[in-house]
Amino acid sequence: MLPADRAPHFVKSFERGLAVIRCFDADHPARTLSEVAHTCDLTRAAARRLLLTLADLGYVHQDGRLFRLTPRVLELGYSYLSSYTLPQIAEPHLEQLVAQVRESSSLCVLDGDDIVYVARVPTRRIMTASITVGTRFPAYVTSVGRVILAHLPDEEVERRLEHAELKPLTARTITSPDALRAELGRVRRQGYAVVDQELEEGLRSVAAPVRDRDGEVVAAVNIAVHAGRNSADSVRSDLLPHLLATVAGIEGDLTITSPGRAASPGSGTHRSSSSRRSPAPPA
């Protein structure tokens, strides 16, 4: 949510309409009027007006007491993806990487406190949650999120840590701001992040940042594996070199296709305060 002291131009009703759309998710694909009002902190009358307006526009379908989103909401995300070339550039590189390592790989960007999947090539399902383009996870607990966070300006990192709500998703999750600050510093120095069963038990992932021609980190690519098949050491020795080579290929194509600077995925990305990519550690 935005701060209480919003700018004069801020349209509260528009914020409420977006909140209504966002209250539907995989766990709640259908909601009653009362549930929408409670979830979005609205009166029943306000929730009803917003739902009926969205229904008139084709974004919501009413079935008796239940409301559901319609496929038309995909248009909202498609507008972003169709104007942003990085996913299209990255996808063939991800496909080649997956063919080499036989593990799933994704391209993610930072949006607020979350990372969002904008391209993905899966192999087998290794998480409880189904991951598709548009899936979101808290940035602090993912390898892609930590890679991007680590390359934010120092003052931005401190601001985020001051307001972060670090919830333990597993017994291994880093929940201390000081510990996370230290981990982000390590990620920045080494040029990659490994997250070992912090998002979900049994899941390990390694990620590296994607930079545009100006050296700005605009996204991150990961490889996700099952902990039973890959140790943390093997992730670094066997998978990381392939990941760094893939990212270098994406960056090369990004430079060729962008006469100026790469399209920025939004307010969640910032200029890297570090130099170009650190070399991979010895395999």
Side-chain angles (χ1 to χ4, degrees), residues 31-32 38 56 147 150 172 190 197 224 251 254 273:
R31 287 187 182 271
T32 64
H38 175 75
D56 289 344
V147 159
R172 299 169 181 258
Q190 66 190 15
Q197 304 182 77
E251 291 177 342
L254 195 60
S273 58

Side-chain angles (χ1 to χ4, degrees), residues 90-107 121 123 206-208 221-224 238-247 250:
E91 190 163 350
H93 292 278
L94 299 184
E95 291 174 347
Q96 183 177 13
L97 174 62
V98 170
Q100 291 173 336
V101 302
R102 300 184 183 278
E103 301 288 356
S104 300
S105 180
S106 305
L107 175 78
V121 179
T123 51
V206 58
V221 173
N222 78 347
I223 299 174
D238 300 337
L239 301 181
L240 179 59
H242 292 288
L243 175 64
L244 294 179
T246 296
V247 168
I250 294 172

Side-chain angles (χ1 to χ4, degrees), residues 127-224:
M127 286 192 67
T128 301
S130 178
I131 300 176
T132 60
V133 170
T135 296
R136 308 171 72 95
F137 290 117
Y140 75 91
V141 79
T142 64
S143 58
V144 282
R146 288 184 185 172
V147 159
I148 300 175
L149 291 173
H151 290 85
L152 296 177
D154 292 338
E155 59 273 17
E156 175 68 7
V157 172
E158 289 304 316
R159 184 188 69 79
R160 286 172 177 264
L161 287 175
E162 287 177 5
H163 299 91
E165 186 178 1
L166 307 179
K167 298 180 179 179
L169 302 185
T170 74
R172 299 169 181 258
T173 304
I174 293 177
T175 56
S176 162
D178 287 341
L180 182 57
R181 182 183 295 107
E183 179 62 19
L184 293 178
R186 183 181 302 108
V187 169
R188 179 183 293 189
R189 291 191 299 273
Q190 66 190 15
Y192 66 92
V194 175
V195 169
D196 188 0
Q197 304 182 77
E198 293 187 49
L199 175 63
E200 182 172 308
E201 293 288 351
L203 176 70
R204 290 192 174 107
S205 65
V206 58
V210 176
R211 295 176 172 87
D212 66 11
R213 64 182 297 166
D214 296 325
E216 181 177 357
V217 173
V218 294
V221 173
N222 78 347
I223 299 174

Side-chain angles (χ1 to χ4, degrees), residues 10-62:
F10 192 83
V11 182
K12 182 68 175 179
S13 59
F14 187 65
E15 179 196 27
R16 289 170 175 166
L18 293 175
V20 169
I21 292 176
R22 291 197 300 268
C23 82
F24 296 92
D25 55 27
D27 294 328
H28 306 92
R31 287 187 182 271
T32 64
L33 171 59
S34 297
E35 290 171 340
V36 171
H38 175 75
T39 302
C40 301
D41 195 21
L42 299 170
T43 65
R44 283 177 54 87
R48 181 176 182 277
R49 289 195 301 271
L50 290 168
L51 284 168
L52 293 180
T53 298
L54 290 169
D56 289 344
L57 294 173
Y59 294 112
V60 167
H61 172 70
Q62 183 177 4

